[in-house]
Amino acid sequence: KVGSDRIVFSAVISACAKGGEWEKALYLFSTIGRLGIVRDTIAFNAAAGACEAGGEWEQALSLLDAMAQEKVAPNVITCISSISACKKARRWEEAVQPLFLMAKINVESHTVAFNAAISACEEGDAWKQALELFSVMPRRKAEYDAITYNNAICACEKA
């Protein structure tokens, strides 16, 4: 029963996030813990998606901290949602933090994560950092795509 409760809560949290109700989604996420239901990666991903939808970058980063405290491993979805929440809030310095976390805990690097972080840097006029991230991608086994090149070019235009 507890496993199905966790699945239902995660689904409802995701639905709230998709419906633009990020505050309700985060409330439900906190309710899971108060009910004694173990929060897993799927539940954290749903909450991170709510943070992304609402541009709640501080909440998104605090979820990564909570995952470490609760010994729940973040995955690429958690990290991309956190990066995107920071990007929406125009917080490029914070947007790169989940990339460092991914490397530290051996979460597979992903082109989408780098693209979001490079775009955040570009929008924040941090072209040097955008190009630094661009140059790191091959070492982290993340492939360039058209979006990567476009974001890097846009960043260079601001130099």
Side-chain angles (χ1 to χ4, degrees), residues 12-17 21-30 46-47 50:
V12 173
I13 292 167
S14 291
C16 288
E21 299 289 340
W22 63 267
E23 290 169 313
K24 288 180 184 172
L26 293 178
Y27 173 78
L28 288 171
F29 178 74
S30 68

Side-chain angles (χ1 to χ4, degrees), residues 2 13 29 37 40 60 65 69 93 100 132 134 138 150 154:
V2 172
I13 292 167
F29 178 74
I37 299 171
D40 62 3
D65 292 337
Q69 291 172 355
E93 291 176 2
F100 298 131
E132 185 177 321
F134 181 86
N150 185 57
C154 288

Side-chain angles (χ1 to χ4, degrees), residues 88-109:
K88 271 190 170 183
R90 300 196 178 282
R91 306 292 299 207
W92 72 265
E93 291 176 2
E94 290 81 5
V96 300
Q97 291 176 9
L99 284 177
F100 298 131
L101 175 65
M102 290 171 76
K104 181 179 175 183
I105 63 173
N106 294 319
V107 170
E108 180 182 343
S109 294

